[in-house]
Amino acid sequence: MAKISKDMIISDIIQIDANLVPILLNAGMHCIGCPSAQGESLEEAALVHGLDPDKLVDDLNGFLEKMDK
């Protein structure tokens, strides 16, 4: 199973599983399709949006764990 970390680039996270996009959008990261966001790490983007990067990592990995079962 792939594991998400906060230093991963957003575009790489989306390539792991496109179903992670709604989790990011629901968290408030509405710039997922923005070209500049594609080069940002999850942590950088989360901080720009006032979000907790560790919570996002937990949410994304939790989703992947459920899908792996």
Side-chain angles (χ1 to χ4, degrees):
M1 175 188 83
K3 196 101 162 123
I4 305 298
S5 64
K6 61 185 174 184
D7 63 329
M8 291 179 73
I9 303 299
I10 293 173
S11 61
D12 293 339
I13 293 170
I14 294 169
Q15 286 181 347
I16 289 171
D17 190 329
N19 293 311
L20 295 171
V21 171
I23 296 170
L24 296 169
L25 291 173
N26 288 334
M29 297 180 85
H30 300 283
C31 62
I32 297 301
C34 175
S36 63
Q38 296 302 306
E40 286 182 321
S41 71
L42 180 62
E43 182 174 34
E44 291 167 331
L47 294 175
V48 166
H49 289 88
L51 303 170
D52 179 357
D54 294 316
K55 181 175 179 343
L56 272 176
V57 168
D58 290 344
D59 292 346
L60 295 168
N61 282 322
F63 173 83
L64 291 174
E65 287 173 19
K66 279 193 251 181
M67 297 307 294
D68 197 39
K69 292 182 179 180

